[in-house]
Amino acid sequence: MCTGLVLLMSLWGCGSSSSPSPDAGTVPDGGVEDAGSGDGGSGDDGGTTAALPCEKTRGVCAGAKRALVDGAYEPVCTARSYGADYEETESRCDGLDNDCDGVVDPPTWSRITELGSRDVGWREASILRTSEGLLVSVPGLASEGRIFRLDSQLRLQGTERVPAAWEPPPEGRTNIMVSSSLVRTAEGPAFYYSTGEGSPTEFRAYLAPLDESGRPGPLPEGTVRLMPDFKGPTTPDGAWIGSRVKASSDGQRLLVVWRQDLVDGNGRQVWGAVFDARGQIVTAPRVLFTSEAVDSYVWLGDALWLRNGEVAIAIEESKDLSVDTTLRLGRFDERLERVGDERRFPALSSSTPLLVDLGAARGGALDSPVLVFRGSTPPDTEGHTSLRGFVVEDLFGQGQPQSLLAVPRGETLWYSALVEDGQLSLAWISRAFVLQEDGSYLHWGRLWTRQGDGADVEQTPPQGPLPMLFTSQWVLQERLDADHMGALVLTRDGDKRFLDGVRYCAP
């Protein structure tokens, strides 16, 4: 469910998204002393004249002069002239303009792979680090899953397919993977997926074990159907039943939550169940949330295993699909019994809540979790509001939403959060759209990042904002090496859609 913010936007101006380089001072010229004025070549008597300045004059190249090589000055300056910090193509994260182009530590964008027309994106793309690289899945309206394997340079190394293991649907119906996600269990990586579309509509969930390269085991025999004997409440024909999966920190337990729409307008429910790493039931399915009114809509948000073995679950509820939404946060024990009182926060529809644990460095098991969600500022004197990302600390105490991210008025916000050393590493898309003469919309977005308490850094390509789709509603991020992070987004080029990535400095 997405917020409709219909505003006419002007495209942003294009320009470099990185800061200009500092003056790196004078680089030694190899210890060659001036031998008098001249043309920079060798004299008839074998002597040398003064070294001429190099072609590049910015960054670490500032003040560089041609080095003397075998009795003659370099005709074109190389690293001999420019010094040890020089690189033809900048790769270091040292705060210097190593390639002397006027840009310090620039991000590197790459086109990873073209996606199919049924790879719709939405907000369920996932990323998982393994010993073989990064595994990435992008959901789509398909009957199979695709897993892309990337290296630390965000280069595509291979694509694996996970065929569906469900029973053939009734004639005239096609089962699709409504929800999917990569997850790490104590048994290794796995691909989770579920279906809830069909007649009669029935929630079904599956777990396909993978190796570290993302290759599935023998299928369908290698796929575990979760809750094979579960029969949920009667659901309207063709209802869309989304789900989420979350693994405990040790990978021994899997929490699965899903939404059920009840027949005859009798409301919505959120159910949950717990499984071990091999997909065997640990805690039987039970209702966790029920809509406050029969005409209220309930949407899945996020879930988090707490370090004391409990789980936290956030859902959205709105009346008549209105823009205003209530975020409901519940805490449950390992048997999925309610613990403590439910907390509620005002938000916007499609508030995209994220539950993140900052770890032991930030306190006990109930002190370190935080909630990030999307809301809006109060109306200004002209009645205008702006989107904001909010964070709630002291989540199970008296903590209240505090502003975390901001985007210009008229733009929308999609984000991800990664914990490093007890701090949130954030990546977000600030996205806008332009109404065209034919009544269609063009979507454009800028990518921003923030490391811990550092400054916001724009990582948008120098040529300008990224062309995007309406379904470009996610950004994935992951640590690539000690000095670099990576972020992945869904982009378009005409009618084609792509998985693009940026590698940027984050020491």
Side-chain angles (χ1 to χ4, degrees):
M1 181 171 60
C2 303
T3 306
L5 301 175
V6 182
L7 295 171
L8 292 178
M9 300 294 299
S10 298
L11 295 182
W12 297 280
C14 298
S16 173
S17 60
S18 299
S19 58
S21 62
D23 184 357
T26 301
V27 178
D29 62 4
V32 179
E33 296 183 358
D34 289 351
S37 60
D39 62 1
S42 299
D44 293 338
D45 60 356
T48 57
T49 59
L52 292 177
C54 286
E55 296 83 4
K56 297 181 180 181
T57 60
R58 297 179 176 182
V60 301
C61 302
K65 296 182 179 180
R66 302 172 192 276
L68 190 64
V69 180
D70 296 331
Y73 290 109
E74 287 191 315
V76 177
C77 288
T78 67
R80 289 177 180 268
S81 300
Y82 291 128
D85 290 326
Y86 174 74
E87 294 181 294
E88 290 189 8
T89 301
E90 190 159 359
S91 65
R92 305 175 191 173
C93 295
D94 55 5
L96 300 175
D97 176 11
N98 302 95
D99 59 1
C100 308
D101 65 351
V103 181
V104 175
D105 296 340
T108 303
W109 280 88
S110 59
R111 176 141 290 173
I112 297 172
T113 188
E114 182 177 352
L115 300 173
S117 61
R118 294 173 67 82
D119 295 307
V120 295
W122 297 106
R123 296 186 298 280
E124 295 178 355
S126 62
I127 189 168
L128 182 67
R129 173 181 288 280
T130 75
S131 61
E132 298 295 326
L134 299 177
L135 303 183
V136 177
S137 69
V138 178
L141 300 175
S143 57
E144 67 175 6
R146 280 192 301 165
I147 299 172
F148 306 108
R149 186 174 71 259
L150 315 180
D151 65 12
S152 62
Q153 303 292 320
L154 297 183
R155 294 175 298 211
L156 182 64
Q157 301 298 298
T159 302
E160 303 296 335
R161 298 181 181 273
V162 182
W166 52 63
E167 299 86 348
E171 185 177 355
R173 292 280 185 170
T174 302
N175 276 334
I176 58 175
M177 292 180 179
V178 172
S179 301
S180 63
S181 180
L182 292 163
V183 62
R184 178 169 287 282
T185 76
E187 299 289 320
F191 182 69
Y192 165 87
Y193 60 96
S194 67
T195 180
E197 190 273 343
S199 178
T201 300
E202 177 183 333
F203 176 69
R204 295 175 181 173
Y206 304 84
L207 192 68
L210 308 172
D211 66 15
E212 295 291 311
S213 296
R215 299 184 183 92
L219 295 171
E221 294 80 5
T223 297
V224 177
R225 177 172 172 191
L226 309 179
M227 304 173 293
D229 301 321
F230 171 70
K231 299 295 181 183
T234 305
T235 305
D237 184 24
W240 188 272
I241 306 178
S243 69
R244 299 282 189 276
V245 63
K246 291 289 179 176
S248 59
S249 59
D250 61 5
Q252 296 289 350
R253 294 287 185 268
L254 295 175
L255 170 69
V256 175
V257 293
W258 66 97
R259 188 192 73 176
Q260 294 267 183
D261 291 350
L262 307 182
V263 297
D264 302 327
N266 287 324
R268 281 87 181 168
Q269 294 177 334
V270 173
W271 286 63
V274 178
F275 305 86
D276 66 17
R278 297 187 177 184
Q280 301 304 304
I281 194 76
V282 174
T283 300
R286 64 182 306 149
V287 177
L288 305 177
F289 297 90
T290 299
S291 60
E292 300 269 302
V294 295
D295 57 351
S296 291
Y297 288 81
V298 171
W299 305 90
L300 293 177
D302 199 13
L304 175 70
W305 282 90
L306 308 181
R307 287 183 286 120
N308 63 359
E310 298 176 348
V311 295
I313 301 171
I315 67 167
E316 303 177 28
E317 182 170 357
S318 63
K319 188 175 177 62
D320 297 327
L321 294 177
S322 66
V323 172
D324 295 327
T325 291
T326 298
L327 266 182
R328 299 173 58 183
L329 175 71
R331 197 169 115 225
F332 305 85
D333 64 19
E334 60 184 7
R335 299 180 302 277
L336 298 183
E337 297 279 358
R338 177 81 66 157
V339 177
D341 296 329
E342 182 179 296
R343 296 208 66 191
R344 300 188 177 202
F345 306 98
L348 294 178
S349 60
S350 194
S351 61
T352 62
L354 294 178
L355 286 164
V356 184
D357 191 343
L358 300 180
R362 299 294 290 270
L366 300 183
D367 302 317
S368 56
V370 299
L371 170 68
V372 179
F373 69 93
R374 194 175 71 165
S376 66
T377 60
D380 59 21
T381 56
E382 298 180 354
H384 298 141
T385 63
S386 296
L387 279 179
R388 289 287 188 274
F390 292 91
V391 63
V392 183
E393 299 182 355
D394 188 19
L395 194 52
F396 305 111
Q398 301 300 315
Q400 296 299 316
Q402 303 294 322
S403 182
L404 179 67
L405 303 174
V407 296
R409 183 165 61 87
E411 298 181 19
T412 191
L413 172 68
W414 308 104
Y415 48 81
S416 65
L418 183 69
V419 176
E420 293 192 309
D421 298 325
Q423 298 287 328
L424 286 178
S425 293
L426 300 167
W428 67 95
I429 300 168
S430 175
R431 202 190 71 193
F433 57 83
V434 179
L435 178 63
Q436 301 186 100
E437 293 183 357
D438 62 0
S440 62
Y441 295 93
L442 285 178
H443 295 266
W444 303 83
R446 291 184 179 273
L447 179 67
W448 296 79
T449 61
R450 182 193 301 169
Q451 303 304 120
D453 296 329
D456 297 349
V457 179
E458 185 173 4
Q459 309 291 358
T460 309
Q463 60 267 30
L466 295 158
M468 291 185 157
L469 298 153
F470 174 73
T471 54
S472 298
Q473 296 178 2
W474 50 265
V475 53
L476 301 176
Q477 62 171 325
E478 185 54 82
R479 170 64 61 181
L480 300 179
D481 56 40
D483 291 329
H484 294 89
M485 294 279 286
L488 308 179
V489 294
L490 175 65
T491 66
R492 63 162 175 81
D493 185 356
D495 294 333
K496 296 182 178 180
R497 57 195 68 190
F498 298 89
L499 179 64
D500 285 353
V502 60
R503 193 172 184 266
Y504 57 94
C505 286

